[in-house]
Amino acid sequence: MTLALYVPRASVVHRLPAGAKLLALAVLAVALFVLPTLTAAAAALLATVAVGLLVARLPVAVLARQARAVVWWLGALLVVHALTTDLRTGAHVALRLLTLVVAAAVVTATTRVSAMVAVVEWLCAPLRLVGVRPARVGLTIAMALRFIPVLVERADRIRAAQAARGGSPRGVRALRTTVAPLLVQVLQMAHDVSEALDARGADDVPPPRRRRSPTSEVPR
Amino acid sequence: MRFRRPGPAPAADDVADPGRGIELRGVSHRYGDRPVLDGLDLTLTEARIGVVGANGSGKSTLARLLNGLVVPSEGRVLVDGLDTRTQVRAVRRRVGFVFQDPDAQIVLPTVAEDVAYGLENQGVPADERAARVAEVLERYGLAGHADHPAHLLSGGQKQLLAIAGVLVMRPARIVFDEPTTLLDLVNARRVAELIAGLEQQVVVVTHQLDLLDGFDRVLVVDRGRVVEDAAPGPAVAAYRALMADR
Ligand SMILES: Nc1ncnc2c1ncn2[C@@H]1O[C@H](COP(=O)(O)OP(=O)(O)OP(=O)(O)O)[C@@H](O)[C@H]1O
Ligand SMILES: [Mg+2]
């Protein structure tokens, strides 16, 4: 799993506010499109890698892992452009994408999930007017990040249990034999998690801007 | 992360009387029309209380009654005089709960964030929160993992993390529902030692009878009733005799 990528280091990049880093990422994306030269893209990539490795002191592996994830995609872009336009345009497009992927990796590796979520909450603040609770949005994102690896692990466990008894289903049958038990586990887990949230005071403060119904808890 | 706007907690605590412990008065419970607990009258004031019994006898339901996760179909449960039916928030601040499966109770991606979760719910200010989280992580040997993703911890570390997330909230009493069932011997012993060292009142549901050594009182639950209520020695003997007859 390549989630939760935070790599703790004492660097300037780590200390920058999450909002600033996300803004810089957005600016970089726009700049890459309004400066449409191959040299600009190459320079941006070099600068991004330098910031990641030298300033933030991230391990090469962290950036390489993200780059590897899109390498086929980059190759395909290159081929399609070589066939339809020319290789130079292809290289430019691929370089631009690679730069953004590496830059995003630098941001996620230097920013705690909590800080990122706080920015999302801040961005959602105007939605308060239509009754959305930004804190809940943040909690949902953070919990999704927490439970995706758990679900992957549970799915692996189901597959391993089936393989141990000689099953190695594929296609539609795999869907039935893996998804159905996984769904049962997910529902059970959702119930357990909601109990755990309750036990740790998830509803300690009543929801804002809602009248209490006569049946709800009245603190004496 | 702010999951909640800070604000004063409901001030129900001022009527609480810490000396009263946890009281069950004429408690029965059923899920749908299936009876699970039947006519319990108990006063739990001892520092170390164990609960044993067969699978499905109602132990987890009994444990969940103690902090209002389950409200009884009949009767009342009082924690320091606070009714779990009407003052559930105040009750949950006094009674922490540790579940069997740590994966289901670790709710945030990294170790430190997860420990801080309950404090955020209580509206504890950020700097005090950080200090309390750091202290608890240090005490349970998780300080080096503060920023690590929780899913990379071992099973034993996950259970320690789950317990740390409860202890950081400083409840006066803690209920454990089979806290060592998924752990190997070494980690089970660590958790047992941790529980033994707590200053809080502790109620432990378990199938691992050696966890109850040195406890003050052990309840044996069978088919929804407390059939034995004694010191660990006689209670465990009664439990073994009961199971031998099945
Ligand atoms: N949420 C629920 N809905 C319906 N029935 C339930 C629910 N929770 C438990 N039960 C049933 O109530 C009975 C008592 O369950 P409980 O979990 O309290 O037993 P237990 O003593 O903790 O068992 P174990 O040792 O297996 O954990 C069981 O028959 C169980 O199937
Ligand atoms: Mg149980």
Side-chain angles (χ1 to χ4, degrees):
Chain A
M1 273 326 285
T2 53
L3 285 166
L5 292 159
Y6 184 71
V7 181
R9 291 275 187 285
S11 90
V12 197
V13 188
H14 284 75
R15 277 194 299 275
L16 274 179
K21 281 182 270 192
L22 288 173
L23 188 65
L25 193 57
V27 169
L28 176 67
V30 173
L32 282 173
F33 280 88
V34 296
L35 296 174
T37 71
L38 189 55
T39 7
L45 180 59
L46 271 181
T48 307
V49 170
V51 168
L53 297 184
L54 304 178
V55 187
R57 299 206 315 282
L58 298 171
V60 181
V62 169
L63 301 187
R65 191 165 56 205
Q66 296 304 306
R68 247 202 326 272
V70 293
V71 75
W72 289 108
W73 184 230
L74 294 176
L77 275 177
L78 212 57
V79 170
V80 168
H81 273 284
L83 295 177
T84 56
T85 52
D86 58 293
L87 197 59
R88 200 183 154 79
T89 316
H92 183 206
V93 170
L95 215 53
R96 220 157 50 179
L97 186 63
L98 183 62
T99 308
L100 281 179
V101 167
V102 173
V106 171
V107 172
T108 41
T110 58
T111 314
R112 284 192 174 82
V113 171
S114 50
M116 209 88 90
V117 166
V119 175
V120 174
E121 284 178 15
W122 180 81
L123 289 172
C124 288
L127 295 178
R128 242 190 260 275
L129 294 175
V130 293
V132 173
R133 293 163 67 190
R136 282 292 154 100
V137 177
L139 177 62
T140 308
I141 296 172
M143 284 185 64
L145 288 174
R146 155 74 188 130
F147 283 103
I148 287 168
V150 176
L151 292 187
V152 170
E153 185 201 289
R154 296 278 151 118
D156 281 347
R157 219 185 286 172
I158 290 172
R159 250 178 267 127
Q162 291 172 344
R165 293 195 285 154
S168 60
R170 265 189 289 267
V172 178
R173 213 175 108 70
L175 215 62
R176 212 185 63 221
T177 54
T178 317
V179 171
L182 186 60
L183 200 61
V184 171
Q185 289 198 12
V186 168
L187 291 176
Q188 177 61 48
M189 183 146 209
H191 172 262
D192 293 350
V193 172
S194 72
E195 269 196 332
L197 288 174
D198 274 350
R200 288 170 74 188
D203 59 357
D204 210 6
V205 177
R209 303 190 330 105
R210 238 185 57 196
R211 274 179 300 122
R212 246 190 219 124
S213 70
T215 52
S216 73
E217 180 193 336
V218 184
R220 297 180 197 156
Chain B
M1 258 171 282
R2 286 175 308 101
F3 290 137
R4 171 159 323 286
R5 23 179 87 178
D13 274 23
D14 43 12
V15 297
D17 170 8
R20 286 179 63 179
I22 304 179
E23 301 160 273
L24 287 78
R25 298 275 165 263
V27 167
S28 296
H29 190 70
R30 58 184 73 83
Y31 292 110
D33 49 12
R34 172 188 195 151
V36 175
L37 291 176
D38 185 20
L40 301 185
D41 279 289
L42 295 167
T43 302
L44 309 175
T45 50
E46 294 79 1
R48 295 288 178 268
I49 299 174
V51 180
V52 297
N55 290 131
S57 55
K59 304 179 300 295
S60 293
T61 307
L62 171 58
R64 282 164 165 72
L65 284 171
L66 306 183
N67 78 335
L69 283 174
V70 169
V71 176
S73 315
E74 272 164 53
R76 307 213 296 159
V77 178
L78 305 173
V79 175
D80 299 330
L82 303 166
D83 193 320
T84 59
R85 193 185 307 272
T86 54
Q87 288 158 296
V88 69
R89 290 195 185 111
V91 166
R92 290 201 184 133
R93 283 178 166 236
R94 307 182 146 259
V95 186
F97 201 105
V98 176
F99 299 81
Q100 176 181 339
D101 181 4
D103 261 330
Q105 50 191 321
I106 300 169
V107 296
L108 293 180
T110 66
V111 170
E113 283 166 355
D114 185 74
V115 174
Y117 173 71
L119 296 179
E120 280 155 14
N121 287 336
Q122 294 184 342
V124 174
D127 41 355
E128 184 189 338
R129 213 158 63 203
R132 277 167 69 173
V133 169
E135 180 208 317
V136 165
L137 291 181
E138 183 68 49
R139 182 147 24 112
Y140 297 107
L142 292 167
H145 300 285
D147 285 316
H148 288 189
H151 73 272
L152 296 183
L153 298 181
S154 73
Q157 286 173 324
K158 280 184 191 171
Q159 191 59 291
L160 288 179
L161 170 58
I163 296 174
V166 172
L167 286 177
V168 77
M169 298 168 76
R170 298 183 183 155
R173 310 163 195 286
I174 304 181
V175 180
F176 293 84
D177 191 358
E178 300 194 32
T180 57
T181 301
L182 299 176
L183 305 183
D184 64 23
L185 282 177
V186 174
N187 285 304
R189 192 175 57 220
R190 283 189 75 182
V191 169
E193 284 166 3
L194 188 163
I195 292 174
L198 292 176
E199 58 195 25
Q200 280 93 344
Q201 182 191 25
V202 161
V203 179
V204 183
V205 175
T206 187
H207 292 293
Q208 291 183 334
L209 302 177
D210 50 357
L211 199 58
L212 305 174
D213 288 348
F215 271 41
D216 302 308
R217 179 179 178 188
V218 172
L219 311 175
V220 181
V221 179
D222 192 47
R223 296 178 178 142
R225 294 168 183 271
V226 174
V227 295
E228 183 67 59
D229 180 350
V236 168
Y239 175 47
R240 286 189 200 281
L242 189 68
M243 292 300 108
D245 289 346
R246 296 271 151 95

